[in-house]
């Protein structure tokens, strides 16, 4: 009975892990190839085409040298803006919430769950991330990018969503 339980547990675990694995189109060109990125520090990555420096992990996670660990935090849009402001207050490096176009530049359109370059942004939650771009039609909503499938949508600003900060490359970098 114990071996049957162990076997069933392993089977369930392998199905769950397979369901969480990134799936990409076969024979498709990457929209965010590894060559477009370079490591700046252990926790930051340069996206060469845009000149933007990104946090490697979602807010709440930490890069351990090979992957992002810990629980990514979700927050409202206002909390995300305040988090970025507070985060950069002492650093004075220009960290901020990315706009829609900036965040969408990270989306790997040939992959899902997550739809992002897994080499440079490991363990990204396959869900929505805030942008700083408000909806022009509805002041109670702002744009998000979903790293489930690389889609964009507007969400109510009081919903909780993930966050990854960005900054412009400094002249000394």
């Amino acid at each position: 009975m114990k071996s049957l339980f162990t076997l069933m547990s392993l089977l369930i675990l392998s199905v769950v892990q397979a369901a969480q694995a990134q799936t990409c189109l076969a024979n498709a060109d990457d929209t965010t190839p590894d060559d477009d990125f370079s490591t700046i520090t252990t926790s930051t990555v340069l996206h060469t085409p845009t000149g933007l420096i990104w946090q490697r992990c979602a807010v709440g996670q930490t890069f351990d040298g090979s992957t992002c660990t810990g629980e990514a935090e979700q927050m409202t849009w206002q909390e995300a803006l305040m988090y970025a402001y507070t985060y950069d207050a002492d650093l004075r490096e220009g960290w901020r919430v990315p706009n829609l176009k900036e965040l969408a530049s990270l989306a790997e359109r040939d992959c899902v769950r997550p739809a992002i370059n897994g080499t440079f942004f490991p363990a990204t939650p396959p869900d929505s991330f805030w942008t700083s771009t408000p909806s022009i039609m509805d002041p109670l909503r702002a744009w998000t990018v979903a790293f489930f499938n690389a889609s964009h949508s507007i969400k109510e600003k009081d919903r909780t969503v993930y966050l990854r900060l960005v900054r412009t490359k400094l002249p000394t970098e």
Side-chain angles (χ1 to χ4, degrees), residues 2-61:
K2 186 176 180 181
S3 63
L4 178 61
F5 177 76
T6 303
L7 180 61
M8 296 278 288
S9 297
L10 289 173
L11 179 61
I12 290 170
L13 182 61
S14 67
V15 169
V16 168
Q17 287 175 337
Q20 294 176 347
Q22 185 181 54
T23 304
C24 299
L25 294 173
N27 302 321
D29 291 334
D30 292 338
T31 59
T32 58
D34 286 353
D35 292 346
D36 282 358
F37 299 95
S38 60
T39 302
I40 300 295
T41 68
T42 55
S43 61
T44 60
V45 172
L46 171 66
H47 185 227
T48 308
T50 61
L52 295 173
I53 296 178
W54 292 92
Q55 290 181 333
R56 178 167 269 185
C57 301
V59 169
Q61 295 178 312

